[in-house]
């Protein structure tokens, strides 16, 4: 039996390991984003949409004749008004739901399970399409400047996608720093186009060949609604900051709200400036160039500034896909914590990065780009529908929240969110109806399928929880609890008090020696709850709680086991794993346990044993 001093050394080393993980205020925050970094990482999608939003309005209006393009300015004014409503609303969403999730978080709290699943499915569709559209548009813009790339649009898209995926797997804060320069350059270039263009009495140069647009419609309410809904593509990405609040540094809410407001002011100013130039100079679609290229030539001429701006816009469009790499993994992690997706999406590395979510974004976007051959026009009909569904759900959810809580000035908030809900609902319906045959039908099929997937996974986890006895205290573990110091130490990582925990402790006690249960909590409140539940159960086994603000489990357990191993005792780590009856359910379990076993075996010379808990279902 080890001496008492040896036992004290173990406790001292274990305590030191816990202190290393319980970081002081701000120390665990260095990998999170400042307001400026968050703006760079999460808003380039919305900001870069000025490259195609005003053009979409002009192209639709051109169907009624050249004179109708003058309606671009009043329609843009309405869109900017809607933008301001959305920005103010999402600032409220950020304050009400600092855990992130955007419209999903709002719907889950205020509108029930079904609507929250609809919001999540719509956001997933929009995020994946944002990656594909941004990369396809960037590739097309680059090919316009360098025609040799025209036959390789798909390859160009996939190369950009691979670069972004690797960048985000490395760490979101690092990608934010990389994106700061392109974001600032993009805003400066567009601001230069607007300011110089408005300062000049007429365009300096004209590019592109005249293009005849056949007049196929009259300038009526339907055409105006179609132009409005097409121009609303400029609003995609406005919700990304609200979805990614957990990535900001403390105080997260204040930083995210500041970034959201800055995004709204920048985007609104650029949209209005470009619309003013289109209206004043009677800019019409021309062959081989975009409307933004025409405005750039009108402001800068056709010298180096023209080519530089086009290249910056190309990279801005390509890097706009990073919005999805920032927002979608967070959303997937929230769905996983709600048992609506496999729990592996909630796993996060120390940087911190939801790497499984990042990988899924990359894979889905790659499949979509290959399917459409990297062509933007084949993606546009599906684009923006999902985000406007999310917009509407978010606004309706906030209306219900104000109506239920009735805080000071609640009627004004209800009016603000109610108008926003009405406008975004109209835009979503017009988009869906006008583009149904062109590809919007795909979204109509995919969203219900995703909702069905969420529902089936949630039902499965509910049934597993019932079998594990998640919400009831299990029987005490079999065997005496011998806590006297011994040469052998059995460490059992636990996450909750279930039937699987009871079986693991019984197995540990049967091995002999001292048995210690170790749990990792993200905050002190969670640790206190776990200690309270453990005391009520009183299994006769000591519980060690480790607080780790990074929300990771494997690294804290590794450090604890390392401290125990350094005392010279014979250490056995017993990891309980769920063993589902059917092979198809295995992806829903065990990723953290298997990864923990792999890391322990790689870094330490301790015995690692896996204890399967076989489900009956």
């Amino acid at each position: 039996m080890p001496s008492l001093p040896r036992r004290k050394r173990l406790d001292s080393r274990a305590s030191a390991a816990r202190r290393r993980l319980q970081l002081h205020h701000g120390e665990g925050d260095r990998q999170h984003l400042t307001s400026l970094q968050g703006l760079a990482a999460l808003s380039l999608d919305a900001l870069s949409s000025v490259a195609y939003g005003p053009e979409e309005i002009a192209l639709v209006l051109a169907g009624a004749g050249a004179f109708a393009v003058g309606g671009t300015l009043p329609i843009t004014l309405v869109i900017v008004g809607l933008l301001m409503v959305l920005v103010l609303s999402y600032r409220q969403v950020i304050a009400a739901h600092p855990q992130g999730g955007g419209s999903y978080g709002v719907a889950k709290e205020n509108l029930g399970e079904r609507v929250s699943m609809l919001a999540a499915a719509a956001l997933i569709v929009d995020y994946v399409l944002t990656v594909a559209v941004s990369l396809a548009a960037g590739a097309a813009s680059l090919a316009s400047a360098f025609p040799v790339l025209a036959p390789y649009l798909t390859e160009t898209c996939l190369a950009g996608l691979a670069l972004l995926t690797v960048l985000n797997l490395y760490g979101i804060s690092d990608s934010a720093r990389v994106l700061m320069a392109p974001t600032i350059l993009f805003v400066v270039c567009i601001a230069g186009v607007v300011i110089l263009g408005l300062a000049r009495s007429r365009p300096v140069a004209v590019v592109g060949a005249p293009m005849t647009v056949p007049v196929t419609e009259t300038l009526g309410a339907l055409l105006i609604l179609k132009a409005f809904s097409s121009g609303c593509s400029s609003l995609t990405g406005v919700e990304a900051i609200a979805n990614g609040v957990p990535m900001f540094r403390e105080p997260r809410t204040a930083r995210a709200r500041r970034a959201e407001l800055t995004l709204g002011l920048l985007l609104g100013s650029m949209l209005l400036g470009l619309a003013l130039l289109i209206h004043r100079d009677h800019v019409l679609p021309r062959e081989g160039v975009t409307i933004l290229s025409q405005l750039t030539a009108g402001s800068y001429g056709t010298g180096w500034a023209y080519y530089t701006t086009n290249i910056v816009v190309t990279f801005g469009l390509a890097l706009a896909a990073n919005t999805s790499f920032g927002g979608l993994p967070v959303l997937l992690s929230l769905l996983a914590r709600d048992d609506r997706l496999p729990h592996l999406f909630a796993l996060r590395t120390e940087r911190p990065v939801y790497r499984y979510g990042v990988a899924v974004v990359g894979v889905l976007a790659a499949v979509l780009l290959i399917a459409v051959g990297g062509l933007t026009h084949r993606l546009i009909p599906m684009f923006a529908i999902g985000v406007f569904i999310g917009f509407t759900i978010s606004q309706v959810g906030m209306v219900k929240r104000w109506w239920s809580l009735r805080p000071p000035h609640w009627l004004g908030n209800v009016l603000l969110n109610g108008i926003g809900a009405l406008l975004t609902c109209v835009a979503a319906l017009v988009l869906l109806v006008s583009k149904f045959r062109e590809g919007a039908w795909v979204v109509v099929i995919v969203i219900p399928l995703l909702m069905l997937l969420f529902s089936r996974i949630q039902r499965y986890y509910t049934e597993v929880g019932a079998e594990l006895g998640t919400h009831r205290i299990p029987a005490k573990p079999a065997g005496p609890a011998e806590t006297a110091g011994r040469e052998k130490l059995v460490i059992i990582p636990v996450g909750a008090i279930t039937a699987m925990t009871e079986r693991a402790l019984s197995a540990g006690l049967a091995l002999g020696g001292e048995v210690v249960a170790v749990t990792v909590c993200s905050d002190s409140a969670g640790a206190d709850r776990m200690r309270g539940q453990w005391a009520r159960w009183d299994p006769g086994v000591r519980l060690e709680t480790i607080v780790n603000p990074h929300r990771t489990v494997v690294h804290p357990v590794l450090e604890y086991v390392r401290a125990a191993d350094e005392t010279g005792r014979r250490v056995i780590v017993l990891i309980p794993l769920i063993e589902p009856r059917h092979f198809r359910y295995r992806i829903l379990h065990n990723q953290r346990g298997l990864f923990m076993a792999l890391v322990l075996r790689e870094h330490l010379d301790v015995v690692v044993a896996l204890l399967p808990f076989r489900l009956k279902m």
Side-chain angles (χ1 to χ4, degrees), residues 354-413:
Y354 294 106
R355 286 184 173 166
Y356 287 103
V358 170
V360 164
V361 176
V363 170
L364 292 179
V367 171
L368 191 56
L369 285 167
I370 293 171
V372 301
L375 299 176
T376 310
H377 70 272
R378 296 181 63 182
L379 294 166
I380 290 297
M382 298 178 281
F383 193 43
I385 294 176
V387 75
F388 274 94
I389 293 174
F391 282 164
T392 304
I393 291 173
S394 178
Q395 303 289 316
V396 173
M398 292 304 291
V399 167
K400 185 176 180 182
R401 176 184 175 86
W402 302 133
W403 187 268
S404 301
L405 299 179
R406 302 198 177 188
H409 313 295
W410 67 276
L411 278 176
N413 291 332

Side-chain angles (χ1 to χ4, degrees), residues 213-226:
V213 179
V215 177
T216 57
E217 302 185 58
T218 58
L219 186 60
L222 181 60
L223 185 66
I224 292 174
L225 285 175
K226 287 175 65 176

Side-chain angles (χ1 to χ4, degrees), residues 188-212:
V188 168
C189 288
I190 299 300
V193 170
V194 172
I195 294 171
L196 286 178
L198 292 176
R200 301 182 188 278
S201 58
R202 59 186 179 84
V204 176
V206 178
V207 294
M211 181 172 63
T212 302

